[in-house]
Amino acid sequence: MKTEKNERQGLSEKLKDRFVILKPHDTYKGKYKVDLLYVEGYGELLFTIRSLLYLCINSLENGDFETYSADRNPKNNVQDVLELISRMIPIEEGDLLDELRRMEKNYQ
């Protein structure tokens, strides 16, 4: 009995060390978040967002969607990237910048 408990405990520890990509979401119960994007700051984040947007725009304007195989749907891929971009936009920080601008106007 003790051996089985030790094995389960050992397996639990191994799983904790190996399941690192998906982390339980703080707000949405039953959902997970993925922390794979690391940037040096807001400048790099915004540059990455812009690059992804340009990639999607170029794909939609110049993409040869007829030559894709039947198991791929490039328009869905572009949509997935656009949804990712929308989650990357630092909205809260934008609100802070607006508040700082209002404060700056009050000091003039």
Side-chain angles (χ1 to χ4, degrees), residues 7-101:
E7 285 177 5
R8 274 188 283 160
Q9 206 168 14
L11 179 59
S12 178
E13 289 301 314
K14 283 182 185 178
L15 293 175
K16 252 189 249 180
D17 293 340
R18 302 273 168 91
F19 284 146
V20 295
I21 299 296
L22 294 180
K23 297 187 170 110
H25 197 281
D26 300 331
T27 308
Y28 301 107
K29 195 172 193 157
K31 298 281 184 181
Y32 295 89
K33 59 184 175 181
V34 181
D35 295 329
L36 290 177
L37 181 64
Y38 302 101
V39 294
E40 292 181 4
Y42 287 106
E44 186 179 356
L45 174 64
L46 295 171
F47 181 79
T48 301
I49 291 170
R50 185 178 69 179
S51 297
L52 289 168
L53 287 171
Y54 287 164
L55 177 68
C56 289
I57 291 167
N58 189 44
S59 294
L60 291 172
E61 286 180 349
N62 304 315
D64 183 15
F65 296 138
E66 287 77 32
T67 60
Y68 277 79
S69 64
D71 63 332
R72 290 192 194 157
N73 189 337
K75 289 184 180 180
N76 283 352
N77 294 342
V78 170
Q79 181 178 346
D80 291 345
V81 172
L82 291 171
E83 288 174 3
L84 172 65
I85 292 167
S86 74
R87 291 193 299 262
M88 293 170 62
I89 297 173
I91 301 296
E92 293 81 8
E93 288 83 348
D95 292 342
L96 174 62
L97 290 173
D98 286 340
E99 189 174 328
L100 290 172
R101 173 161 279 183

Side-chain angles (χ1 to χ4, degrees), residues 1-12:
M1 199 65 150
K2 201 173 194 180
T3 307
E4 186 178 320
K5 185 177 179 183
N6 288 343
E7 285 177 5
R8 274 188 283 160
Q9 206 168 14
L11 179 59
S12 178

